[in-house]
Amino acid sequence: MSRCAVKKVEAIIKPFKLDEVKQALSEVGVAGLTATEVKGFGRQKGHTELYRGAEYVVDFLPKVKVEVVVADSLVGRVVEVIERAAKTGRIGDGKIFVLPVEEVIRIRTGERGEEAL
Amino acid sequence: MSRCAVKKVEAIIKPFKLDEVKQALSEVGVAGLTATEVKGFGRQKGHTELYRGAEYVVDFLPKVKVEVVVADSLVGRVVEVIERAAKTGRIGDGKIFVLPVEEVIRIRTGERGEEAL
Amino acid sequence: MSRCAVKKVEAIIKPFKLDEVKQALSEVGVAGLTATEVKGFGRQKGHTELYRGAEYVVDFLPKVKVEVVVADSLVGRVVEVIERAAKTGRIGDGKIFVLPVEEVIRIRTGERGEEAL
Ligand SMILES: Nc1ncnc2c1ncn2[C@@H]1O[C@H](COP(=O)(O)OP(=O)(O)OP(=O)(O)O)[C@@H](O)[C@H]1O
Ligand SMILES: Nc1ncnc2c1ncn2[C@@H]1O[C@H](COP(=O)(O)OP(=O)(O)OP(=O)(O)O)[C@@H](O)[C@H]1O
Ligand SMILES: Nc1ncnc2c1ncn2[C@@H]1O[C@H](COP(=O)(O)OP(=O)(O)OP(=O)(O)O)[C@@H](O)[C@H]1O
Ligand SMILES: [Mg+2]
Ligand SMILES: [Mg+2]
Ligand SMILES: [Mg+2]
C-alpha cells in the first residue's frame, strides 16, 4: 500500500454553520465531505447536577463534526476557509484537527491516492 | 506508550451495504468494528435551494461510516474485502481511508497493542 | 503548518459510562471532548438471523465514542483515567485507540498547537 500525500481535516463546529462551511469548501474545490452529529464539551465549565446521588457536569452541546480528506497542498487553504466560515467570535466556535492519512480508495473505480479524492 | 503495528481503516459506504460489509469482514477474521450514521457529500454537484434568503447546496445523503482497527498485516485484505462488499458500480459507492494508529487498549483486560484487537 | 505534540485518544465505551468518563477526564485537566453515538461489534460472535433470504449477524450494540485531543504529555494519564472509569470487568467494556494529530486550531481565536487545546 503506497503512502499518499493526503490529510484529514476534522472540524467540530456549531450546527447552524454547516451549510456555510460546506459552501465555502466547495468554492475552494473540495469535492467531498462527511458530517456527523456529535455532542461536545469545550473549555467552559458547565454547571453540575445531582443524578443518582452523584454530581455530574451536564453541559454537552450539540455540534457537527465535518471531515474532509484532501491533498496536502490544499490543507492550509481548507483550514483557513473553515476558520472563516465557522467563526462567530463567540465561545464554542469549535476546533480544527489535522490528521495524517496513509491511503485513499474510491470504491466505485478502485482508484487510489490523490486521484481517489 | 509503545508504538504498535496497527491501522484504522475508515470506510464511508451506502447504508444498505453495512450488513454485507460486516459479514465480509468477519469472514477475514476482523473481530470488531464501529459503525456511525453520517451525512455525506461526494463529487457530484447537488442542486441548490433558497433557504432563509440564501442559497444552499442540499445534497447531503445518508451514509454509514465503518471503522475497523486492524493489524498492519491485515490492512490490504480488509480494504479489498470492503471494496468488494460495498461496490455497486454506481456513483456514491463510497471511500476508504487508512489512518495510522499508535496504541490500542482493551478496557476489560488492560491488554495493549495487537493483542488488544 | 507546524507539527505539534498532540494526540487524539478515541475510546469506544458503554453508553452509561459516558458521564463517569467525562467527570474523570475533567479531574485530570482535560478541557474538551467530543462524544458520538455509534453502533459497535466486538469479539463476541452474535447470533445470526435470516433477512431477505440471506443470513446476517445482528449483534450491533449501542456504544459511545469519546474523542479527546490532548498534549502528548497527557496521553498516558488520559488513557489510564478512561480505562478506570469505563471498566466494569464484563465483556464489551470497550477499546481505546491513540492516533497522531498534526495540527490543532481554536476557531474563535485562531490559536494553533497546544495553546489551542
Ligand atoms: N480537546 C478536545 N478534544 C476533542 N474535542 C474537542 C476538544 N476541545 C473542543 N472539542 C470539541 O469542539 C467543540 C467546540 O469547542 P470550543 O469551541 O468550545 O473549544 P474551546 O477550546 O472551549 O474554545 P472557546 O474558548 O472558543 O469556547 C466542543 O464542544 C467539543 O465537541
Ligand atoms: N474527500 C472526502 N473527504 C471526506 N469524506 C468524503 C470525501 N469524499 C467522499 N466522502 C464521503 O464518502 C461518501 C461517498 O463518496 P462518493 O462515493 O460519492 O465519492 P466520489 O468521489 O464522489 O465517487 P463517485 O464518483 O463514485 O460518486 C460521501 O457522501 C462522503 O460522505
Ligand atoms: N478492532 C476494532 N475496530 C474498531 N472498533 C472496535 C474494534 N474492536 C472493538 N471495537 C469497538 O469497541 C466496542 C467494544 O468492544 P469490546 O469491548 O467488545 O471489545 P472486545 O475486544 O470484544 O473485548 P471484550 O472481550 O472485553 O468484549 C465494539 O462494540 C466496537 O464498537
Ligand atoms: Mg468552549
Ligand atoms: Mg460521488
Ligand atoms: Mg466484546
Side-chain angles (χ1 to χ4, degrees):
Chain A
M1 188 162 296
S2 65
R3 301 229 155 193
C4 61
V6 164
K7 305 271 185 245
K8 173 150 77 159
V9 180
E10 218 176 275
I12 318 289
I13 62 170
K14 292 178 171 167
F16 78 94
K17 283 291 196 180
L18 176 59
D19 282 319
E20 230 167 297
V21 166
K22 180 171 172 302
Q23 188 79 18
L25 283 171
S26 77
E27 277 157 24
V28 297
V30 167
L33 67 82
T34 301
T36 313
E37 288 175 20
V38 299
K39 296 186 292 180
F41 173 62
R43 278 190 313 171
Q44 287 59 45
K45 299 283 178 290
H47 49 282
T48 57
E49 199 176 62
L50 221 62
Y51 175 67
R52 300 192 180 171
E55 216 166 32
Y56 294 98
V57 179
V58 290
D59 47 354
F60 275 111
L61 292 170
K63 301 277 175 187
V64 168
K65 185 205 275 188
V66 174
E67 291 168 279
V68 205
V69 176
V70 291
D72 260 22
S73 57
L74 252 186
V75 170
R77 203 121 55 95
V78 162
V79 167
E80 268 175 49
V81 149
I82 296 175
E83 274 189 271
R84 198 161 30 224
K87 184 171 174 171
T88 67
R90 278 183 297 273
I91 266 173
D93 272 351
K95 287 272 171 57
I96 305 172
F97 307 121
V98 180
L99 285 84
V101 172
E102 295 185 1
E103 187 53 287
V104 183
I105 296 104
R106 173 176 287 119
I107 292 171
R108 179 175 59 86
T109 60
E111 286 161 293
R112 252 82 180 155
E114 293 187 45
E115 277 150 56
L117 288 174
Chain B
M1 188 162 298
S2 66
R3 301 229 155 193
C4 61
V6 163
K7 305 272 184 244
K8 172 150 76 160
V9 180
E10 219 177 273
I12 318 289
I13 61 170
K14 293 180 171 166
F16 78 94
K17 281 293 195 178
L18 176 58
D19 282 319
E20 231 168 299
V21 166
K22 180 171 171 304
Q23 189 78 16
L25 284 170
S26 77
E27 277 157 25
V28 297
V30 167
L33 66 82
T34 300
T36 313
E37 288 175 19
V38 299
K39 295 186 294 181
F41 173 62
R43 279 189 312 169
Q44 287 58 46
K45 299 284 178 290
H47 49 282
T48 58
E49 196 175 65
L50 222 62
Y51 175 67
R52 299 189 183 176
E55 214 166 32
Y56 294 98
V57 179
V58 291
D59 48 352
F60 274 112
L61 292 170
K63 301 278 174 186
V64 168
K65 186 205 277 189
V66 174
E67 291 169 279
V68 205
V69 177
V70 291
D72 259 23
S73 57
L74 252 184
V75 170
R77 202 120 55 95
V78 161
V79 167
E80 267 175 50
V81 148
I82 296 175
E83 275 189 270
R84 198 162 28 221
K87 185 171 174 170
T88 67
R90 278 183 297 273
I91 267 173
D93 273 351
K95 287 271 173 57
I96 304 172
F97 306 121
V98 181
L99 285 85
V101 172
E102 295 184 0
E103 187 54 287
V104 183
I105 296 103
R106 173 176 287 119
I107 293 172
R108 179 175 59 87
T109 60
E111 285 160 292
R112 252 82 181 154
E114 294 186 44
E115 276 150 56
L117 289 174
Chain C
M1 187 162 297
S2 65
R3 301 229 155 194
C4 61
V6 164
K7 304 273 184 245
K8 173 149 76 159
V9 180
E10 220 177 273
I12 318 289
I13 62 170
K14 292 179 171 167
F16 78 94
K17 281 293 196 179
L18 176 59
D19 282 319
E20 231 166 297
V21 166
K22 181 170 171 304
Q23 189 78 16
L25 284 169
S26 77
E27 277 157 25
V28 297
V30 166
L33 66 82
T34 300
T36 313
E37 287 174 20
V38 299
K39 295 186 293 181
F41 173 62
R43 279 189 311 169
Q44 286 60 46
K45 299 285 178 287
H47 49 280
T48 58
E49 196 176 64
L50 221 63
Y51 176 68
R52 299 188 182 177
E55 214 165 34
Y56 294 98
V57 179
V58 291
D59 47 353
F60 274 111
L61 292 170
K63 301 279 174 185
V64 168
K65 185 205 275 188
V66 174
E67 291 169 280
V68 204
V69 177
V70 291
D72 260 21
S73 57
L74 252 185
V75 170
R77 202 120 56 96
V78 162
V79 167
E80 268 174 48
V81 148
I82 296 175
E83 275 189 272
R84 198 162 28 223
K87 184 171 173 169
T88 68
R90 278 183 296 274
I91 267 173
D93 273 351
K95 286 273 173 55
I96 304 172
F97 306 121
V98 180
L99 284 85
V101 172
E102 295 185 0
E103 187 54 287
V104 183
I105 297 104
R106 173 177 286 118
I107 292 172
R108 179 175 59 87
T109 60
E111 287 161 290
R112 252 83 179 153
E114 293 186 44
E115 276 150 55
L117 288 174

